[in-house]
């Protein structure tokens, strides 16, 4: 598979709702010339995948059981908001209005690497969720009890 995306970048949406992909990630995000896939995440952010990385995820989502109400809503969210984008010559992409509304994106945003993809968060939402996560009990989630830094 492709490059690993790490780090966080402050992003500003322009008046038309476009973002510029940070220069340090631009070539890796577009390496296969397949463009980008954007979709909604249930936690309230936008996911940005290189097309090649999205396809295996899409295949799994399509196999979600249709008679399970929660699985159906995840499918509606992930596939229903799916948008294929090709950045312009300046490395900008237009965020569709529906995705901007889903994530509450208006101006300032955080683009956070997650390995195979990026999350795009409204800066205010990101700050609130980060503070909430850091104020937690410090107990690792199930399955991470033996994790050590």
């Amino acid at each position: 598979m492709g490059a690993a995306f790490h780090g966080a970048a402050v992003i500003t949406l322009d008046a038309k709702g476009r973002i510029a992909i940070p220069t340090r990630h631009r070539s890796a995000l577009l390496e296969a010339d397949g463009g980008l896939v954007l979709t909604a995440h249930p936690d309230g952010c936008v996911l940005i995948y290189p097309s090649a990385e999205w396809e295996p995820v899409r295949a799994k989502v399509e196999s979600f059981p249709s008679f399970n109400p929660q699985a159906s809503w995840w499918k509606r969210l992930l596939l229903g908001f799916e948008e294929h984008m090709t950045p312009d010559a300046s490395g900008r992409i237009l965020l569709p209005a529906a995705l901007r509304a889903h994530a509450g994106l208006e101006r300032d945003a955080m683009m956070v690497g997650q390995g195979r993809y990026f999350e795009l968060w409204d800066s205010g939402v990101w700050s609130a969720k980060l503070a909430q996560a850091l104020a937690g009990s410090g107990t690792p989630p199930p399955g991470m009890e033996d994790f050590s830094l």
Side-chain angles (χ1 to χ4, degrees), residues 29-49:
L29 268 172
L30 304 172
E31 69 185 11
D33 197 34
L36 301 173
V37 175
L38 283 66
T39 194
H41 188 283
D43 285 342
C45 67
V46 173
L47 302 176
I48 304 172
Y49 276 86

Side-chain angles (χ1 to χ4, degrees), residues 57-91:
V57 176
R58 184 181 216 289
K60 287 179 187 174
V61 173
E62 287 178 343
S63 71
F64 287 177
S66 60
F67 290 113
N68 178 301
Q70 186 175 14
S72 289
W73 276 109
W74 275 63
K75 189 177 196 177
R76 288 179 189 118
L77 187 69
L78 292 167
L79 299 183
F81 280 88
E82 180 180 331
E83 295 281 349
H84 294 256
M85 299 286 175
T86 302
D88 66 14
S90 298

Side-chain angles (χ1 to χ4, degrees), residues 13 26 146:
L13 280 73
R26 202 171 291 164
D146 295 331

